[in-house]
Amino acid sequence: MIALSELVQGSEINLAAIGEELGKTLAAIVDYRGDVTLNLKDGSQLAGFVYNCSPKTIELYPQTSPAPISLSLDQVESILISGSDTAKGKSWEDWQRKKSSEREAIKAAPIAS
Amino acid sequence: MGVPISQMWTVASYVLKHKIRATERYPLVLMLEPLFRCNLACAGCGKIQYPEHVLKRVLSADQCLAAADECGAPIVSIPGGEPLLHPEIQQIVEGLVARKKYIYLCTNAILLKSKLHLFKPTKYLTFSVHMDGLKHEHDEAVCRDGVYDRATEGIKAALEKGFRVTTNTTLFDGANPERTREFFDEMMKLGVEGMMVSPGYSYSKAPDQESFLKREKTYQLFRKIFHAGKRSWRFNQSPLFIEYLSGSRHFECTPWGNPTFNIFGWQKPCYLLQEGYAKSFKDLIDNTDWKSYGRKSGNAACQDCMVHCGHEPTAVDHTFGSLGGFWATVRATLRGPRIQAPAADTDFISTESVVGQADFVPEKKVANG
């Protein structure tokens, strides 16, 4: 199974090779807050944001089209994680860590006389 | 009392109608997200991290109104993103008002003053202004200096023009109870109709024990804030929800209570979790595995969640679900919520043993607020 944390920009997932973990892998791709590129079996590519999956279909907003598209998974050869994760480093925990270290730095700074 | 009687009557008659019909699952508030774009990038906000081409997309006014019709909830909350950035926000609001929906337009209020001319004051429209505390706390939470001052300017301008204005506040670990109480005083001085408070949601895969401690921490925080609460504070939410936040009672989540609709469709299962999208509201209600959500389900993502969008519908359902619930609401409305004293050696009320949707806590364990 591919965990969300393992989805890094540049990695490619071959759907045929995943087997029983397909559902969980697709769920991780839906969770990923960046664009992906679908490499289709007819040789074409489709880049966009995947927001929904079912056992048979994948739904995405293509980068260049106003309307969403639904594709049969049978049409998809592999999925390339092509865009950066827009949520990376932006969690509340990340923010708390940053603020905490800032406060510590202020406390540690010498008081100007 | 923050909520107008006409709104209470609308909600009460709506809930009672569903009770009489024995509707198993009905929505209370439609969370309508017409866009994800925002003019702030608040820390921890999970709503705006999308690729640029997604942030540029919006629901049309027609799509928004169709969703409101399809859902049927008497209240429509419009979060986002920042709804005032939506090019058709005027049409969306006008269409919802025409449908006699009570609207909470959730805004950071940066643009409120300059956009007020788009709207007409009505009992159906409330600006729900995001305020996470006094100036220092709020500006820190939204990661930009000066936003508190802009928001208070917007609130004053809206109140002067006769609009309903409330505040909505998210409190996270580390919130200062005394400063929060001062903040409540300040908002009341500003003249807002009422305030809404909720703990923040942080997704957690922590083991149960850690979850429990987190929950106890939340109880302590809210006890410190609400114990001996001032009569001058007005809240635009169920007093039973405040008792729940303070650990005086337990509510299970009602994840279908505040269904969410956005550019992707009807979000499964709730406002906070994104586990796919349904094509229609009926599809959402009929084909979501609801028993997999809420604290009792054991779902790790739900263990620490005490957020209003799942638990306030339970509080409202409890109010109209039994005489006891109704009486508890009347009592809490008239006399203030029952809040246990926040002593360090507090005899915590274990929520582990609670089975039902709601449970009263023996009075001896609860100090009157």
Side-chain angles (χ1 to χ4, degrees):
Chain A
M1 178 190 138
I2 294 179
L4 182 57
S5 57
E6 292 167 30
L7 288 183
V8 291
Q9 193 174 10
S11 59
E12 187 166 357
I13 300 145
N14 189 325
L15 295 192
I18 293 174
E20 290 179 358
E21 299 294 344
L22 179 63
K24 287 177 181 172
T25 303
L26 291 174
I29 289 168
V30 169
D31 270 351
Y32 186 74
R33 292 290 187 92
D35 280 340
V36 303
T37 300
L38 305 184
N39 295 308
L40 304 181
K41 288 177 180 170
D42 65 4
S44 64
Q45 291 187 319
L46 185 60
F49 182 77
V50 174
Y51 65 92
N52 210 9
C53 282
S54 73
K56 289 184 177 176
T57 59
I58 188 164
E59 293 173 62
L60 77 159
Y61 269 110
Q63 286 175 347
T64 55
S65 163
I69 288 178
S70 179
L71 284 175
S72 165
L73 277 176
D74 292 339
Q75 294 174 258
V76 182
E77 181 82 41
S78 66
I79 300 174
L80 172 69
I81 308 300
S82 51
S84 61
D85 181 359
T86 60
K88 192 176 180 187
K90 293 176 184 171
S91 70
W92 175 255
E93 287 74 19
D94 291 326
W95 169 250
Q96 281 188 314
R97 270 194 294 274
K98 179 174 177 281
K99 296 310 289 184
S100 174
S101 62
E102 281 176 8
R103 288 191 198 102
E104 289 304 314
I106 290 168
K107 276 187 202 166
I111 298 167
S113 56
Chain B
M1 178 60 65
V3 181
I5 289 170
S6 63
Q7 184 175 327
M8 283 194 284
W9 175 254
T10 299
V11 172
S13 55
Y14 172 82
V15 174
L16 285 171
K17 181 184 79 180
H18 282 291
K19 289 283 177 192
I20 290 164
R21 290 179 183 172
T23 311
E24 190 180 4
R25 298 186 180 96
Y26 60 90
L28 188 66
V29 179
L30 166 62
M31 305 296 281
L32 180 63
E33 295 178 320
L35 79 175
F36 292 123
R37 190 154 46 96
C38 191
N39 47 3
L40 284 176
C42 306
C45 170
K47 291 286 178 182
I48 61 168
Q49 287 82 24
Y50 289 102
E52 192 57 32
H53 69 96
V54 174
L55 292 177
K56 285 179 181 169
R57 296 171 198 269
V58 297
L59 287 173
S60 69
D62 286 344
Q63 286 175 305
C64 291
L65 298 176
D69 291 340
E70 188 182 351
C71 173
I75 299 173
V76 179
S77 176
I78 310 179
E82 169 54 51
L84 293 180
L85 291 173
H86 194 290
E88 291 185 298
I89 191 63
Q90 183 182 2
Q91 292 89 326
I92 294 168
V93 167
E94 284 174 358
L96 292 171
V97 169
R99 286 161 172 77
K100 299 188 176 179
K101 302 290 184 187
Y102 283 90
I103 306 158
Y104 284 86
L105 195 156
C106 305
T107 174
N108 57 39
I110 290 175
L111 296 172
L112 183 55
K113 197 174 173 181
S114 64
K115 298 264 185 176
L116 277 176
H117 67 279
L118 297 175
F119 309 102
K120 289 177 192 150
T122 159
K123 66 179 180 180
Y124 292 110
L125 173 62
T126 302
F127 292 108
S128 176
V129 179
H130 171 204
M131 296 289 261
D132 279 350
L134 291 166
K135 185 178 169 66
H136 173 77
E137 288 82 356
H138 184 63
D139 286 354
E140 185 173 295
V142 302
C143 309
R144 193 198 291 180
D145 289 335
V147 174
Y148 178 88
D149 291 336
R150 287 286 293 273
T152 51
E153 256 181 52
I155 289 173
K156 285 176 187 169
L159 289 170
E160 274 170 22
K161 289 185 183 294
F163 287 100
R164 292 179 63 190
V165 181
T166 59
T167 56
N168 68 77
T169 302
T170 306
L171 297 174
F172 287 89
D173 275 358
N176 181 323
E178 262 317 303
R179 291 280 292 173
T180 305
R181 291 170 66 94
E182 286 172 35
F183 165 71
F184 289 166
D185 291 339
E186 196 58 34
M187 292 302 102
M188 287 296 98
K189 269 190 226 163
L190 264 181
V192 300
E193 177 185 294
M195 303 176 285
M196 286 182 257
V197 186
S198 180
Y201 173 81
S202 57
Y203 181 83
S204 170
K205 289 178 180 169
D208 286 344
Q209 185 60 25
E210 281 186 45
S211 298
F212 182 69
L213 289 173
K214 273 190 173 180
R215 193 167 275 245
E216 294 295 279
K217 217 171 164 183
T218 302
Y219 293 155
Q220 280 289 25
L221 172 64
F222 281 94
R223 282 171 192 165
K224 285 175 185 168
I225 293 169
F226 287 111
H227 182 64
K230 296 185 182 176
R231 300 295 295 171
S232 58
W233 296 346
R234 290 187 304 272
F235 292 93
N236 210 280
Q237 58 194 153
S238 164
L240 301 189
F241 177 64
I242 292 172
E243 292 187 350
Y244 162 71
L245 291 179
S246 309
S248 301
R249 63 174 63 244
H250 177 61
F251 287 130
E252 270 297 319
C253 179
T254 304
W256 56 85
N258 286 22
T260 301
F261 183 73
N262 56 39
I263 60 168
F264 302 132
W266 293 93
Q267 187 167 303
K268 288 182 179 183
C270 67
Y271 181 62
L272 297 162
L273 300 180
Q274 279 175 286
E275 297 186 359
Y277 290 85
K279 301 287 179 220
S280 68
F281 177 69
K282 188 175 185 315
D283 180 18
L284 172 77
I285 292 294
D286 291 349
N287 297 317
T288 302
D289 183 18
W290 297 111
K291 64 180 183 303
S292 298
Y293 302 100
R295 194 160 186 241
K296 269 198 304 192
S297 72
N299 187 329
C302 302
Q303 295 309 297
D304 292 333
C305 181
M306 297 176 71
V307 176
H308 62 97
C309 57
H311 298 89
E312 191 146 14
T314 314
V316 173
D317 186 79
H318 182 59
T319 294
F320 299 105
S322 67
L323 275 177
F326 185 74
W327 171 243
T329 307
V330 171
R331 185 260 309 144
T333 302
L334 296 176
R335 298 179 56 194
R338 288 174 175 170
I339 310 293
Q340 191 171 345
D345 58 350
T346 299
D347 179 16
F348 282 120
I349 297 151
S350 172
T351 56
E352 301 296 328
S353 60
V354 175
V355 176
Q357 277 264 303
D359 195 28
F360 286 104
V361 173
E363 282 193 36
K364 62 182 179 181
K365 286 193 173 180
V366 183
N368 283 317

